[in-house]
Amino acid sequence: MKTLTKSEEQVMQALWKVEKGFLKDIIDQMPDPKPHTNTVATMLKILIEKKFVDYEVFSRAHRYFPLISKESYSKGSLSKFVDNYFSGSYQQAVSFLVKEKEMSIQDLELLLQQLKK
């Protein structure tokens, strides 16, 4: 799976929220300060080329929709991150989070309970 720039990912986050939407709908879902319409339109063109987004034509307007689910992209991104920074070891990644106090012992215990189910 191709990686996304921060700007492209921001557009995808908005599109995942609306599921299907026109340019204005996507911009409305983006955080303030809102990017310029032309900027988002350019990002959508790039996302279409990368096969992350497609569209349907309604008169002169395009209704965009994601081709890749948020879950699928998240899984790929997390795997790549763990591979790049922790030699593919999720155990090292979790240990790092606990050590850096980004994850509490309570969070870790809750995670263990969920894994046991």
Side-chain angles (χ1 to χ4, degrees):
M1 179 180 299
K2 294 180 181 176
T3 57
L4 299 176
T5 66
K6 260 188 177 183
S7 298
E8 293 165 353
E9 195 169 316
Q10 189 177 41
V11 171
M12 284 304 298
Q13 292 289 348
L15 186 55
W16 283 321
K17 283 180 189 173
V18 297
E19 296 177 6
K20 281 188 176 185
F22 297 96
L23 183 59
K24 183 188 179 318
D25 302 324
I26 296 166
I27 293 170
D28 287 346
Q29 289 297 316
M30 298 180 81
D32 290 325
K34 306 263 189 235
H36 192 274
T37 303
N38 291 345
T39 303
V40 178
T42 300
M43 290 293 115
L44 286 165
K45 285 180 186 177
I46 293 167
L47 289 166
I48 290 166
E49 289 171 9
K50 287 185 171 184
K51 307 266 190 265
F52 276 80
V53 173
D54 206 353
Y55 62 91
E56 302 166 316
V57 178
F58 290 87
S59 295
R60 293 179 40 173
H62 293 165
R63 183 169 71 172
Y64 299 93
F65 57 91
L67 292 175
I68 296 175
S69 70
K70 185 176 183 178
E71 293 77 22
S72 178
Y73 182 74
S74 298
K75 182 180 177 183
S77 296
L78 183 59
S79 293
K80 189 172 186 175
F81 178 80
V82 172
D83 285 345
N84 288 342
Y85 292 96
F86 300 100
S87 302
S89 170
Y90 283 87
Q91 185 262 327
Q92 286 181 14
V94 172
S95 293
F96 175 81
L97 292 172
V98 171
K99 184 175 147 188
E100 295 298 315
K101 298 189 182 1
E102 298 293 331
M103 181 181 236
S104 70
I105 299 298
Q106 292 82 9
D107 291 339
L108 193 56
E109 288 173 351
L110 186 63
L111 182 61
L112 286 170
Q113 287 175 4
Q114 290 174 347
L115 288 172
K116 288 178 183 178
K117 289 183 182 180

